[in-house]
Amino acid sequence: MPVIAMTQEMGSLAKDVSLQLAQTAKLNIMRHEVLEHVAGRMHVPGSLISRLREGKAGLVERLTTDRERVAVYTAQEVFDLAGKGSIVLRGWGATCLLRPVRHVLRVRVTRPFKQRVAWLMDHLGTDDEAFAEAEVQRSDSAHASRMHDQFGVTWGDPLLYDLVLNTDRLSVESCVEQIRQLASRPEFQETAESRAMLADLALNARIRAALKDHESTRDVNINVESKNGKAVLSGIVINPRESTEAARVASTVAGTVNVDNQLRVMVSSRRFASAKT
């Protein structure tokens, strides 16, 4: 059951490649599931999530939207979709989120800047080249910033991908054929180990999302590591109640067999004791 993670780059023809790949290889394709899931969990319009991702959100929107929750909910949806297999995942950081899973094929589809600008001008039906250039640059900056902030990587680094395709040199059909051939190779076949890795990552994401869903644990910043259904919680919390609540919430998540609570309670110094509640 192939899982193919692809980049989302304005004017690169990645969307065309993903649609044709899904059709010819009989794969599902991620459409609006992540957007709808994240917006629904945060009780905000999907258009707000889109503006944040595209770098179009206003100052007030950027300051009042919990971007950490956006990232946590996004990760949960990407891992859940990948776990179903036979799917093409485009954008949403899928190439980075799924990097540890050996059977996931990570593909970047790109194109020279001028060709991407020309594509946008044609797409919008405009002859304003300066406007189109600014839009492509804004989109690229938003992608680069999000990838750096969320994953600590440089957007476009070829080492992040298994395959880089230039649609200025290759047709959409040729790109699809290259991806299909590589996906059929032994290196990208599921194994017990790769399935277990994906399951562990998915459980981590579900636990993090559950912690964000509960008011009592929403602001808790802890580490979560899962293996074979056992979740290990580590880090520092400000009081025993936070520790108890975090373990309780984690234990309710589907797939959690056992919770190893290694959280440490912050020790109050005399100097700041009066500030503690």
Side-chain angles (χ1 to χ4, degrees), residues 155-170:
W155 184 59
D157 181 350
L159 293 179
L160 297 175
Y161 313 103
D162 304 302
L163 182 64
V164 178
L165 300 168
N166 177 5
T167 53
D168 186 46
R169 297 273 294 169
L170 297 171

Side-chain angles (χ1 to χ4, degrees), residues 20-272:
Q20 187 165 320
L21 174 63
Q23 182 179 13
T24 58
K26 295 181 171 54
L27 304 175
N28 295 314
I29 187 167
M30 178 177 66
R31 296 185 184 274
H32 305 293
E33 294 93 337
V34 177
L35 178 64
E36 294 169 355
H37 172 87
V38 174
R41 292 284 286 271
M42 298 188 68
H43 305 290
V44 299
S47 57
L48 170 60
I49 304 300
S50 293
R51 289 196 298 276
L52 287 169
R53 289 181 51 79
E54 296 167 5
K56 293 182 177 180
L59 178 61
V60 174
E61 290 177 324
R62 296 197 304 272
L63 292 176
T64 57
T65 303
D66 189 338
R67 296 194 183 190
E68 186 177 353
R69 288 181 70 194
V70 173
V72 167
Y73 294 150
T74 295
Q76 180 188 359
E77 186 67 12
V78 168
F79 286 127
D80 283 348
L81 288 169
K84 298 175 182 178
S86 299
I87 192 167
V88 181
L89 303 164
R90 186 170 65 90
W92 296 94
T95 54
C96 282
L97 286 168
L98 296 168
R99 191 178 182 185
V101 184
R102 296 289 298 179
H103 69 259
V104 175
L105 174 58
R106 296 164 298 134
V107 181
R108 182 186 181 194
V109 178
T110 188
R111 204 180 190 189
F113 180 76
K114 287 186 177 180
Q115 279 72 21
R116 295 166 60 211
V117 170
W119 173 90
L120 183 59
M121 292 173 64
D122 181 67
H123 185 71
L124 297 177
T126 180
D127 59 0
D128 190 340
E129 186 174 356
F131 169 77
E133 287 181 348
E135 282 296 293
V136 174
Q137 289 171 342
R138 177 199 49 73
S139 177
D140 286 355
S141 295
H143 277 84
S145 177
R146 186 168 60 252
M147 295 292 278
H148 181 270
D149 292 346
Q150 190 171 345
F151 305 109
V153 300
T154 300
W155 184 59
D157 181 350
L159 293 179
L160 297 175
Y161 313 103
D162 304 302
L163 182 64
V164 178
L165 300 168
N166 177 5
T167 53
D168 186 46
R169 297 273 294 169
L170 297 171
S171 67
V172 169
E173 292 75 15
S174 293
C175 290
V176 169
E177 184 60 26
Q178 289 292 315
I179 295 170
R180 291 189 65 182
Q181 286 188 21
L182 190 56
S184 67
R185 298 295 301 166
E187 295 92 332
F188 298 101
Q189 305 311 302
E190 283 189 3
T191 65
E193 291 76 15
S194 69
R195 286 194 296 270
M197 171 61 74
L198 181 53
D200 291 340
L201 291 171
L203 180 56
N204 277 356
R206 289 197 298 272
I207 291 174
R208 291 181 183 279
L211 292 171
K212 286 297 179 184
D213 276 341
H214 289 74
E215 186 175 353
S216 61
T217 55
R218 185 163 296 165
D219 297 323
V220 173
N221 185 17
I222 61 175
N223 299 315
V224 180
E225 294 293 337
S226 305
K227 190 172 181 62
N228 299 325
K230 178 180 179 180
V232 180
L233 310 182
S234 61
I236 299 175
V237 293
I238 64 173
N239 55 50
R241 180 176 177 274
E242 281 193 349
S243 174
T244 301
E245 278 295 287
R248 182 189 67 79
V249 170
S251 68
T252 65
V253 175
T256 302
V257 176
N258 176 263
V259 176
D260 181 4
N261 187 355
Q262 298 183 10
L263 294 171
R264 296 185 178 184
V265 178
M266 184 183 298
V267 177
S268 303
S269 67
R270 290 185 178 181
R271 181 178 178 183
F272 297 108

